[in-house]
């Protein structure tokens, strides 16, 4: 826990969407309201390439928000089969 920010935290001021787009990915910000439709759209898009959905979390609610995002992703992936 004491090294989390050092190892996994994004440095302040880094725009991951802009960085991903500069490297050729399709990227956008999502939140709890837009995650599910954005994920469905990304999975439905069959054009080759990388898609990045940046989902910012509040560190205090990090585990809860990751669990919510994981449930949404699992549901979206299950509908593909």
């Amino acid at each position: 826990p004491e090294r989390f920010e050092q190892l996994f935290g994004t440095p302040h001021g880094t725009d991951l969407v802009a960085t991903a787009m500069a490297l050729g990915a399709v990227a956008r910000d999502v939140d709890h309201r837009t995650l599910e439709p954005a994920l469905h759209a990304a999975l439905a898009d069959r054009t080759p390439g990388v898609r990045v959905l940046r989902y910012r979390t509040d560190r205090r609610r990090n585990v809860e928000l990751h669990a919510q995002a994981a449930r949404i992703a699992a549901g979206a992936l299950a509908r593909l089969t």
Side-chain angles (χ1 to χ4, degrees), residues 1-72:
E2 67 276 355
R3 293 193 49 182
F4 179 85
E5 288 299 325
Q6 178 186 6
L7 297 173
F8 302 106
T10 302
H12 182 67
T14 301
D15 186 341
L16 293 180
V17 170
T19 301
M21 291 173 68
L23 295 170
V26 175
R28 63 178 280 204
D29 284 310
V30 296
D31 60 25
H32 69 280
R33 292 177 304 271
T34 59
L35 175 60
E36 189 167 5
L39 183 56
H40 286 291
L43 291 170
D45 185 349
R46 296 297 184 196
T47 57
V50 174
R51 280 135 193 87
V52 175
L53 301 175
R54 176 174 55 182
Y55 182 57
R56 294 182 186 195
T57 62
D58 176 327
R59 293 277 192 241
R60 292 169 292 156
R61 295 182 55 218
N62 204 32
V63 172
E64 173 191 343
L65 293 171
H66 278 142
Q68 176 188 22
R71 281 191 305 275
I72 291 170

